[in-house]
């Protein structure tokens, strides 16, 4: 997935001007909304234009949540509060190459931290789809809070991405007709998926620097492990796998399981770094103790 930011993508595609991007970034610092929603609220771009530009630039399909019947097995996997905070909505499970994936509608497919947390907490790889913010908010209200979405949920009128009090108030209105489901709707739960203070998007801090360092170490370990597969495990790549085997048993005969656990391990490291639960010194001392070459 592209590492560019939404503003860069829109600017390169001629959807917005440099002046509009600057105005959007300035407004974003005040509203704390995501940049895409901020640009829509300022009238610099329409919601359909934003969705189409992201879909084409990132080569990710678009989903219209108004036209799908969510699988409750997927909805149950992610908490309402997390969906509100990150503007995502899990709506289906699919099988790719014999492995299950969680299909998630996202207003910002570049929100890597949200993807990593979902993958870590569910144990499933995320298959993203680009969706309109109004559609995601309406789906959250309808399927998590059992409320009829109102026109006020449109991004043309700025609103915080996480607004449990508003959602609870909306829940007092008459409920929409029940949608096809395989299970009863999940109860609203105010508990976060992972407790901790997330670093605001785009903010450069020691936490984000550490998260990037962990990402580089993960890429290096994967590359070394790939080279050593035909020769057996080398001492330079055995550290993480040894730790995993200590926790869950011998994994030498389960390569698929090794890959899944390693992915979750590195995702956890990055999540802890962004939430201030891991320092650079701790990472260097406990985890980065092998050759970096």
């Amino acid at each position: 997935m592209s590492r560019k930011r939404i503003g860069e993508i829109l600017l390169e595609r001629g959807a917005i001007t440099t002046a509009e991007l600057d105005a959007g970034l300035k407004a974003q610092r005040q509203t704390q909304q995501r940049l895409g929603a901020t640009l829509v609220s300022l009238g610099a771009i329409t919601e359909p234009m934003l969705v189409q530009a992201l879909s084409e630039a990132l080569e990710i399909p678009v989903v219209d949540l108004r036209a799908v019947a969510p699988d409750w097995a997927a909805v149950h996997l992610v908490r309402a509060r997390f969906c509100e905070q990150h503007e995502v909505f899990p709506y289906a499970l699919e099988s790719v190459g014999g492995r299950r994936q969680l299909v998630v509608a996202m207003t910002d497919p570049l929100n890597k931290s949200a993807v990593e947390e979902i993958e870590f907490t569910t144990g499933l790889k995320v298959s993203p789809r680009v969706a309109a913010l109004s559609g995601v908010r309406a789906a959250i209200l309808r399927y998590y809070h059992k409320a009829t979405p109102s026109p006020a949920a449109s991004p043309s009128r700025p609103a915080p991405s996480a607004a449990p009090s508003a959602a609870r108030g909306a829940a007092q209105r008459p409920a929409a007709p029940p949608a096809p489901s395989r299970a009863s709707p999940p109860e609203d739960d105010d508990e976060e998926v992972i407790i901790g203070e997330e670093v605001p998007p785009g903010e450069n801090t020691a936490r984000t620097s550490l998260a990037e360092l962990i990402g580089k170490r993960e890429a290096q370990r994967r590359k070394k492990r790939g080279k050593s597969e035909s020769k057996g495990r080398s001492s330079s790549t055995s550290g993480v796998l040894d730790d995993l085997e200590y926790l869950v048993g011998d994994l030498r005969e389960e390569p698929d399981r090794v890959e899944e656990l390693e992915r979750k391990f590195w995702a956890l490291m990055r999540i802890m770094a962004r939430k201030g639960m891991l320092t650079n010194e701790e990472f260097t001392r406990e985890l980065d103790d092998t050759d970096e070459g």
Side-chain angles (χ1 to χ4, degrees):
M1 184 177 293
S2 173
R3 298 183 66 86
K4 291 183 179 179
R5 299 182 185 277
I6 285 181
E8 293 176 304
I9 291 174
L10 295 176
L11 196 60
E12 288 179 357
R13 300 183 69 82
I16 59 174
T17 65
T18 302
E20 288 171 332
L21 176 58
D22 291 340
L25 291 171
K26 181 178 180 180
Q28 182 193 29
R29 287 191 287 270
Q30 298 175 340
T31 64
Q32 297 300 308
Q33 290 190 112
R34 298 196 178 278
L35 181 60
T38 302
L39 290 170
V40 171
S41 68
L42 292 175
I45 190 173
T46 66
E47 194 174 59
M49 289 171 60
L50 172 63
V51 170
Q52 192 62 32
L54 289 176
S55 174
E56 293 177 0
L58 301 177
E59 298 183 346
I60 296 176
V62 173
V63 62
D64 182 355
L65 291 174
R66 299 170 300 178
V68 301
D71 182 345
W72 282 113
V75 177
H76 273 287
L77 289 172
V78 185
R79 297 183 185 276
R81 183 75 177 275
F82 181 87
C83 291
E84 291 168 337
Q85 180 182 0
H86 293 280
E87 296 165 352
V88 301
F89 183 73
Y91 68 92
L93 292 164
E94 64 180 10
S95 180
V96 177
R99 296 184 182 181
R100 285 205 315 165
Q101 294 186 353
L102 181 61
V103 186
V104 181
M106 306 183 67
T107 61
D108 180 6
L110 296 173
N111 187 353
K112 187 177 180 180
S113 63
V115 171
E116 288 176 347
E117 290 203 27
I118 294 173
E119 290 185 338
F120 179 76
T121 55
T122 65
L124 299 174
K125 182 175 178 58
V126 166
S127 179
R129 301 291 188 272
V130 185
L133 175 57
S134 59
V136 170
R137 287 179 175 171
I140 291 172
L141 281 174
R142 181 176 184 184
Y143 295 103
Y144 281 108
H145 303 295
K146 300 176 284 296
T148 303
S150 68
S154 170
S156 61
R157 297 177 62 178
S161 60
S165 59
R168 283 194 291 270
Q172 303 303 316
R173 296 192 292 274
S181 63
R182 296 179 176 84
S184 59
E187 295 181 0
D188 186 17
D189 192 335
D190 283 343
E191 182 183 352
E192 294 282 3
V193 173
I194 293 182
I195 298 175
E197 182 180 353
E198 184 68 75
V199 176
E203 181 176 329
N204 292 321
T205 67
R207 300 191 209 173
T208 54
S209 297
L210 177 55
E212 291 176 359
L213 172 62
I214 292 172
K216 291 178 181 178
R217 293 295 180 270
E218 177 189 16
Q220 291 174 352
R221 295 294 182 100
R222 284 180 179 275
K223 184 177 180 180
K224 289 181 180 179
R225 183 162 63 87
K227 290 181 178 179
S228 64
E229 280 180 351
S230 59
K231 305 176 183 178
R233 275 187 1 209
S234 67
S235 59
S236 64
T237 61
S238 62
V240 172
L241 190 53
D242 285 341
D243 288 340
L244 293 174
E245 289 180 354
Y246 175 78
L247 292 173
V248 300
D250 191 358
L251 296 169
R252 298 169 196 271
E253 304 302 324
E254 301 182 71
D256 290 343
R257 182 65 171 158
V258 170
E259 183 179 350
E260 175 190 347
L261 288 173
E262 283 194 353
R263 177 170 53 79
K264 294 180 71 173
F265 171 83
W266 289 108
L268 175 60
M269 292 300 100
R270 287 190 292 272
I271 292 168
M272 292 176 65
R274 279 192 296 269
K275 291 180 179 293
M277 301 167 65
L278 178 69
T279 67
N280 203 316
E281 291 182 358
E282 290 170 334
F283 173 76
T284 302
R285 183 175 63 249
E286 301 294 340
L287 302 174
D288 195 27
D289 56 357
T290 59
D291 182 16
E292 299 180 7

